[in-house]
Amino acid sequence: MTTLYLPKRLSRRGFIQTAAAATGAALLLPGMAQAASMLTPGAFATPDLSGMPGVGPVGVAQPRPLIFGHRGSSALRPEHTLGSYAKAIADGADYVEPDLVSTKDGVLVARHEAFLSETTDVASHPEFASRKTRKTIDGETHEGWFVDDFTLLELKTLRAVERIPQFRPGSAQYNGMFQVLTFEEIIDFVAAESAARGRIVGIVPELKHSTYFASVGLPLEDRFLAILGAHDYTRRNPVEIQSFEVANLKYLRGKLGHRANLRLMQLVIGENVRPMDVAAAGGTLTFAQMCTPAGLRDIAQYADVVAPPTRSIIPLKKDGSLDAPSSLVEDAHKVGLRVEPWTFRPENHFLAADFRNNAGDAARNEAGSIAEIKRYVATGIDGFFTDDPALGRAAIS
């Protein structure tokens, strides 16, 4: 087996592309072989690898933005499952996304939110009928079953189901096939896929409901840091850490510093509402303020990426068609932030009116999705989340 040593100043895209060209090679960053051998469990390697995550100068549009498999390939397989992640990687995703929540016994698992009723078969388990309850988390009230009322052992008896079967009947055919995954299982799976395919696959985890989980005695951040440090793959390969909250990203920056393989991603929405941690602390900062030039400068003090919804970059007109682009990409690039919006979905229901066809609201529309992604790529975005990485790859090829 050959060993590939990567140049010190190689960009992340160069990192991925060079790795992809070296099928069967062991992928080692400069100095990492020696450093890794000296690590104690949970420790991070600290060689100087500055510059690796950059993809050309900030503010210069990249020809091939990074593709983030949103919860895997969630247009085609139930989200956050091995099937979804495997499909995303096979279809060319540069990164795959686990949304992370905590079980009752403090294990980080991948679910879109704490609410289990829409993405698992928990309602069909009579042994858990008494767990049904009502909770308000991050301003949304649901009645059903919640992850923090289950131990990992109990969660493993459940099976994943498609969250929006009315739009994705093909994905719903895989209902019941897959377990709920732990974050560590996902890291191991991505590492295995990377080794098998001879290319690096990044991980883009999102810490969900940080303020809520802290309020019930299950804070996410230190558990998350311990897992990153315990796995060789996440110590030295691309990881982008997301949150809609602010304080947790600042905390992680303080703990992680500016490690070469890591980026922090501030998720935002284009609305005049407050992040949950800001609201809980009595602050006044809103997401709308965060998307102004001044707000973006503040984000750049602790994060590397701003991730708005797609419609904040090119808004919709009243008729549902695309309007002129906003200045968000340009404003973010001016302060050194990458822009990686969410989320492109391939069904007519989710497309701008410009790109829909006559096949029906719920119909899958591959050509329309590719055309829409191309319009957004032309604004200079540095990456994007998509429910179908194959279509994202087609759009930038």
Side-chain angles (χ1 to χ4, degrees):
M1 180 178 69
T2 60
T3 298
L4 176 66
Y5 289 93
L6 299 177
K8 184 174 181 179
R9 301 295 295 183
L10 191 63
S11 72
R12 180 174 291 180
R13 180 167 293 112
F15 181 29
I16 293 170
Q17 291 173 342
T18 302
T23 304
L27 304 173
L28 297 176
L29 302 181
M32 289 303 295
Q34 179 180 3
S37 67
M38 298 185 291
L39 288 174
T40 57
F44 287 91
T46 56
D48 178 12
L49 300 173
S50 58
M52 190 194 75
V55 185
V58 170
V60 177
Q62 302 303 320
R64 295 199 174 197
L66 296 174
I67 298 172
F68 298 91
H70 187 235
R71 311 173 199 168
S73 184
S74 53
L76 300 171
R77 305 288 187 271
E79 62 192 41
H80 296 310
T81 63
L82 286 180
S84 187
Y85 294 128
K87 181 63 173 167
I89 294 169
D91 285 348
D94 294 307
Y95 287 70
V96 293
E97 180 199 39
D99 293 327
L100 300 179
V101 294
S102 179
T103 65
K104 183 178 182 179
D105 47 346
V107 180
L108 298 188
V109 296
R111 289 288 89 194
H112 171 52
E113 55 191 358
F115 187 53
L116 293 172
S117 302
E118 294 178 345
T119 61
T120 73
D121 63 357
V122 62
S124 68
H125 287 252
E127 66 273 26
F128 299 133
S130 63
R131 308 276 179 93
K132 188 174 184 180
T133 187
R134 178 186 291 267
K135 294 186 183 184
T136 300
I137 300 176
D138 289 3
E140 295 189 6
T141 300
H142 293 290
E143 183 171 342
W145 291 263
F146 295 83
V147 66
D148 50 311
D149 293 326
F150 290 78
T151 66
L152 177 62
L153 186 62
E154 291 170 333
L155 273 185
K156 285 292 188 179
T157 68
L158 308 181
R159 293 297 181 270
V161 300
E162 171 55 45
R163 185 174 54 90
I164 47 174
Q166 68 274 30
F167 296 108
R168 295 170 176 176
S171 176
Q173 294 178 8
Y174 298 92
N175 285 358
M177 289 183 62
F178 301 107
Q179 290 184 333
V180 174
L181 296 171
T182 69
F183 183 36
E184 294 196 83
E185 289 170 336
I186 294 167
I187 294 170
D188 285 345
F189 178 74
V190 172
E193 285 285 290
S194 177
R197 295 175 182 275
R199 72 176 180 93
I200 295 299
V201 179
I203 303 174
V204 56
E206 180 184 348
L207 300 183
K208 303 288 290 195
H209 314 312
S210 277
T211 295
Y212 168 75
F213 280 112
S215 75
V216 295
L218 294 168
L220 305 177
E221 290 72 27
D222 287 335
R223 292 178 172 88
F224 175 75
L225 288 169
I227 292 170
L228 287 187
H231 287 260
D232 180 72
Y233 194 83
T234 49
R235 287 200 299 267
R236 57 179 173 152
N237 292 312
V239 178
E240 291 203 17
I241 305 165
Q242 323 167 60
S243 179
F244 278 104
E245 299 190 17
V246 177
N248 55 3
L249 289 180
K250 291 181 176 179
Y251 177 79
L252 293 175
R253 178 62 82 199
K255 292 290 186 178
L256 294 169
H258 292 269
R259 300 183 187 278
N261 67 313
L262 298 175
R263 290 196 184 108
L264 299 186
M265 178 188 294
Q266 179 66 69
L267 295 163
V268 296
I269 58 176
E271 298 180 16
N272 198 34
V273 297
R274 294 175 293 173
M276 288 308 302
D277 60 314
V278 173
T284 60
L285 180 68
T286 68
F287 284 115
Q289 292 169 339
M290 293 169 73
C291 293
T292 65
L296 293 167
R297 283 196 298 272
D298 290 340
I299 291 172
Q301 300 305 306
Y302 62 88
D304 310 290
V305 182
V306 63
T310 57
R311 305 313 185 199
S312 290
I313 292 174
I314 307 181
L316 297 181
K317 300 177 184 177
K318 290 182 179 180
D319 65 0
S321 63
L322 291 184
D323 206 341
S326 73
S327 65
L328 183 54
V329 173
E330 181 181 359
D331 292 341
H333 283 166
K334 284 180 178 177
V335 298
L337 288 171
R338 293 171 61 84
V339 182
E340 295 169 350
W342 47 275
T343 303
F344 293 107
R345 296 186 165 101
E347 296 86 11
N348 275 325
H349 179 81
F350 302 107
L351 297 177
D354 318 49
F355 308 107
R356 295 174 190 157
N357 60 25
N358 296 321
D361 184 61
R364 180 177 168 84
N365 180 353
E366 295 186 1
S369 184
I370 291 169
E372 182 178 59
I373 293 171
K374 286 183 176 181
R375 285 281 294 275
Y376 279 83
V377 168
T379 67
I381 59 175
D382 303 287
F384 58 88
F385 287 83
T386 173
D387 286 356
D388 194 328
L391 301 184
R393 183 61 59 190
I396 65 173
S397 296

